[in-house]
Amino acid sequence: MGSDQANQTPYYITTPIYYVNDRPHIGHCYTTLIADVAARAQRLVGRDVFFLTGTDEHAEKVSKTAAENNKTPYEWATINADRFKAAFEFMNFSNDDFVRTTEDRHKEKASAYIKQLLDQGDIELGDYEGWYDPSQEEYLTEMVAKEHEYNSPVTGKPLEKRVEQNYFFRLDNYQSWLEEQFANDAVNILPSARKNEVLGRLKQGLMKVPVSRKIKEGDADWGIKMPGDDSHRIYVWIEALCNYLTTVDTVERNKYWDGEVTHLMAKDILWFHAIIWPAMLHALGKEPPKTVYAHAYWIAEGTKMSKSLGNFIEIDLLQAYAEKYSLDAVRWFLTTQGPLGANDADFAHARFIEVYNADLANSIGNSTSRVGNMVHKYFDGTVPATCNGEFGFPDGSSLQTALKALENAGKAVDDPTRTYNFQEFINEATTNATDALAKVDLETMLDSARSIVRYVDDFISYCAPFTLAKQLDTLDDGTHALQSILYSCAEALRIASLLLSPAMPEKMAELWRNWNCNHLTDPNDPNSPFVAPLAELAQWGGPHAIKVGQTIAKGDALFMRADGNEPAPEPAAV
Ligand code: MSP
């Protein structure tokens, strides 16, 4: 929250569109969750956001698995697209649209872009011989193929030598333009380890890339035909990338492409997004994305997830966890423990319990119920006074009264000169959170929120309001001190809850309902828009602060402590 003025540039965030040969798993949910948390956080700071996800349907593997399941490709694609939609709804993702590449709105525009590139000479016909990775549906350079001993770098399956007549995109013409984009940070590749990999590969030189497939006898009628040549189909990868543009290429939505574009994905498909797509966009006369962010992988209980091992963490396991520990606990665990950086992350039950107890039950859950309980016990559930700076911190008067109470009770205070400046601390935390958000550094963003909760906990242990409460009769100004202490805690937790809400929208909305902070959003809809940007919402004692006389219902604890000895949840039998 560097300034009071929210960033006015529209924000457009995308996930990969997922193959519909199979059902969704943790990897798909994770990327989409990260996009959701970033989108919600950007909305919280006051930006106009468009968040897109969807499904990539014209792949060969979709028509193959459809046949294995005695379905037409479209029937099979629809079954799985519906599974993705249901999973994403379950995860409470706030995507503004869900695109299926079999929709006319996508097919028509994707064809038009390819036609433009053909007409301009950016796409041309030629012969091609290369190493093809059927599992990923992509060609690899001799160098990459050799490096992986002619096996797929992603799945380890053997590569195939293929010769075909094809249409090619002259990617080689865009080498120096791409180099410039990365040198100027016009296109940011994050995290930096990934950027170095892309730059390393770029240095080896770019080749023209095939953008079509010759239709063979017996092929399923699946995919988009090459404009002007019915004997070819547009290569699925090239068509799929276009989704980012086709979906917002309308009068109402163009502003999102003209705004700030962020593409999220895992490292497996970074090259397409960091090199091929920006070059295609430039050829089409469009701006490249501002950020291309490639995270690492989830593994399961220490082992890489694979079909052959059958250890994919699928949506039904996440649902079982959500049922037991709440959906927001699952969202929290995935967001904060996931492979957002350069390293892979392990989904392990013991770790889930550890994080759940430390970050949720013992932290925000415990603090809010503790403060709520004290407001009830000492002031009948009504917030007694504000603390808009006049009261106390860092002038310390309330604090001194609390410390006096501790002294009376014979309890030693480690450092009686300590001061707490809530306003300053919170301003810094919200600024750090907003800065981190700009780099999609969601861990740091959420950690800023947690630091406020820790500050409150530390403050409570330091000034022990429960000890103070026992001595109100004997201390000058004791009630006043207790009021301002509890006000400060409640107000700080209100602001922390705002910063936590992108990861845990339902639980934070529950807190706002309990605490009558209904003026932040619509109390009945945790997904409703905020009434003001964060800079205003998070103002200590500002227009949205906790008010004198505001009642705080005790409510149930937001997160019950979890018992690590209980067995791990298991997906319901299908
Ligand atoms: N259809 C292409 C993408 C086209 S985008 C224009 C595709 N689809 S996919 O279904 O295979 O999805 C790949 C993406 O799923 C990864 O980039 C990542 O976002 C997510 N994940 C798949 N497995 C994953 C993990 N094990 N861990 C984390 N995310 C992973 O590629």
Side-chain angles (χ1 to χ4, degrees):
M1 201 182 45
S3 81
D4 283 355
Q5 197 60 44
N7 185 338
Q8 297 300 316
T9 318
Y11 185 77
Y12 179 30
I13 188 159
T14 70
T15 73
I17 47 172
Y18 304 108
Y19 288 132
V20 281
N21 53 315
D22 212 341
R23 55 183 80 225
H25 61 63
I26 187 174
H28 310 123
C29 290
Y30 174 68
T31 313
T32 318
L33 172 61
I34 293 306
D36 183 60
V37 175
R40 286 175 184 273
Q42 293 284 3
R43 291 190 198 108
L44 171 63
V45 297
R47 290 179 76 175
D48 177 6
V49 172
F50 194 82
F51 163 23
L52 178 68
T53 188
T55 43
D56 184 0
E57 310 202 348
H58 290 131
E60 249 175 65
K61 56 180 155 194
V62 174
S63 54
K64 261 195 206 149
T65 27
E68 286 160 22
N69 287 279
N70 294 320
K71 297 274 188 265
T72 65
Y74 186 72
E75 281 167 353
W76 188 241
T78 303
I79 289 171
N80 283 307
D82 286 346
R83 285 174 170 155
F84 273 89
K85 284 183 184 171
F88 291 177
E89 213 160 289
F90 175 79
M91 294 296 294
N92 195 14
F93 295 155
S94 61
N95 46 299
D96 296 287
D97 200 349
F98 185 106
V99 64
R100 295 183 58 185
T101 53
T102 44
E103 289 167 343
D104 287 343
R105 60 172 175 159
H106 167 80
K107 289 197 286 190
E108 282 160 15
K109 290 199 192 97
S111 283
Y113 303 151
I114 299 302
K115 182 166 184 322
Q116 184 187 332
L117 296 177
L118 267 165
D119 293 348
Q120 285 172 194
D122 275 298
I123 288 180
E124 61 186 30
L125 200 57
D127 282 327
Y128 187 75
E129 183 183 301
W131 290 106
Y132 185 71
D133 178 354
S135 56
Q136 294 305 102
E137 306 201 17
E138 64 168 318
Y139 276 95
L140 301 172
T141 60
E142 179 61 35
M143 192 146 171
V144 174
K146 195 168 167 195
E147 199 181 307
H148 293 90
E149 293 167 359
Y150 302 97
N151 292 317
S152 162
V154 179
T155 61
K157 289 189 187 148
L159 301 177
E160 289 172 10
K161 186 107 205 181
R162 284 202 188 178
V163 185
E164 35 183 59
Q165 196 185 47
N166 254 322
Y167 288 89
F168 291 93
F169 172 56
R170 296 296 310 264
L171 182 62
D172 48 333
N173 287 343
Y174 292 94
Q175 172 102 24
S176 54
W177 178 80
L178 281 163
E179 283 166 355
E180 252 167 57
Q181 303 314 300
F182 303 130
N184 307 338
D185 284 333
V187 176
N188 293 304
I189 302 174
L190 292 170
S192 54
R194 296 277 104 83
K195 176 173 175 173
N196 295 337
E197 287 168 9
V198 170
L199 294 183
R201 192 168 158 191
L202 181 61
K203 262 203 213 123
Q204 298 169 16
L206 293 174
M207 304 190 304
K208 48 189 190 169
V209 289
V211 296
S212 75
R213 291 283 176 274
K214 181 111 181 118
I215 299 174
K216 294 186 298 294
E217 218 164 288
D219 278 357
D221 182 13
W222 196 232
I224 307 179
K225 300 260 165 65
M226 199 64 195
D229 185 349
D230 276 359
S231 69
H232 277 258
R233 247 192 282 281
I234 303 175
Y235 170 37
V236 67
W237 253 108
I238 297 300
E239 182 222 312
L241 287 165
C242 293
N243 91 87
Y244 301 129
L245 193 56
T246 59
T247 315
V248 294
D249 194 354
T250 65
V251 175
E252 306 79 45
R253 292 179 174 178
N254 263 327
K255 62 175 174 179
Y256 295 108
W257 197 271
D258 297 338
E260 182 184 335
V261 179
T262 297
H263 294 313
L264 289 186
M265 75 231 57
K267 56 191 177 183
D268 52 342
I269 56 177
L270 174 59
W271 183 254
F272 289 98
H273 288 82
I275 297 290
I276 300 177
W277 178 232
M280 281 173 67
L281 283 165
H282 186 59
L284 289 167
K286 301 279 184 187
E287 286 297 314
K290 174 95 185 98
T291 303
V292 178
Y293 192 105
H295 60 73
Y297 292 133
W298 276 102
I299 58 173
E301 302 285 351
T303 311
K304 185 171 188 278
M305 292 187 290
S306 75
K307 274 250 159 66
S308 47
L309 289 174
N311 64 341
F312 267 108
I313 294 177
E314 291 186 4
I315 182 72
D316 43 0
L317 182 62
L318 299 180
Q319 279 167 333
Y321 268 84
E323 194 152 307
K324 180 138 194 206
Y325 303 104
S326 79
L327 172 65
D328 279 354
V330 173
R331 288 175 55 108
W332 177 265
F333 177 75
L334 296 180
T335 308
T336 60
Q337 303 298 311
L340 189 60
N343 300 321
D344 292 350
D346 190 18
F347 189 101
H349 179 66
R351 181 77 187 137
F352 182 93
I353 297 298
E354 204 179 301
V355 169
Y356 175 91
N357 281 331
D359 288 0
L360 304 179
N362 296 344
S363 175
I364 181 75
N366 185 50
S367 292
T368 49
S369 67
R370 225 171 155 196
V371 169
N373 285 339
M374 285 193 278
V375 171
H376 266 264
K377 196 159 171 199
Y378 307 135
F379 299 107
D380 292 330
T382 303
V383 179
T386 56
C387 177
N388 298 346
E390 316 108 43
F391 271 126
F393 310 116
D395 82 11
S397 60
S398 304
L399 201 52
Q400 291 316 320
T401 311
L403 297 182
K404 181 90 191 119
L406 281 178
E407 203 183 299
N408 291 348
K411 292 186 181 148
V413 171
D414 54 358
D415 171 12
T417 62
R418 214 181 314 172
T419 54
Y420 284 84
N421 188 332
F422 275 84
Q423 284 204 48
E424 203 177 277
F425 188 86
I426 282 171
N427 282 344
E428 200 177 310
T430 44
T431 305
N432 289 345
T434 312
D435 291 350
L437 179 60
K439 293 178 254 153
V440 203
D441 182 359
L442 304 179
E443 285 163 9
T444 303
M445 180 192 95
L446 295 171
D447 208 41
S448 301
R450 267 191 306 183
S451 73
I452 301 177
V453 179
R454 279 195 298 271
Y455 196 75
V456 170
D457 286 345
D458 184 69
F459 176 66
I460 293 179
S461 341
Y462 184 63
C463 63
F466 25 84
T467 306
L468 170 63
K470 291 188 195 129
Q471 300 174 26
L472 294 183
D473 300 342
T474 59
L475 287 166
D476 280 347
D477 204 29
T479 304
H480 187 210
L482 188 58
Q483 287 174 341
S484 72
I485 288 167
L486 291 185
Y487 180 83
S488 300
C489 293
E491 176 64 351
L493 291 174
R494 178 191 71 86
I495 296 169
S497 72
L498 283 165
L499 295 175
L500 291 170
S501 69
M504 301 192 286
E506 284 174 355
K507 286 290 181 184
M508 295 307 110
E510 185 182 328
L511 177 70
W512 301 333
R513 279 194 303 275
N514 287 342
W515 283 21
N516 280 299
C517 295
N518 294 342
H519 47 286
L520 302 176
T521 55
D522 173 350
N524 299 315
D525 177 6
N527 292 328
S528 61
F530 289 98
V531 297
L534 180 69
E536 187 182 310
L537 293 174
Q539 243 175 60
W540 185 269
H544 308 280
I546 289 185
K547 309 243 173 340
V548 179
Q550 187 166 324
T551 52
I552 285 190
K554 262 202 261 182
D556 296 333
L558 291 175
F559 301 96
M560 301 298 285
R561 247 191 94 78
D563 178 354
N565 294 321
E566 283 183 11
E570 280 183 34
V574 200

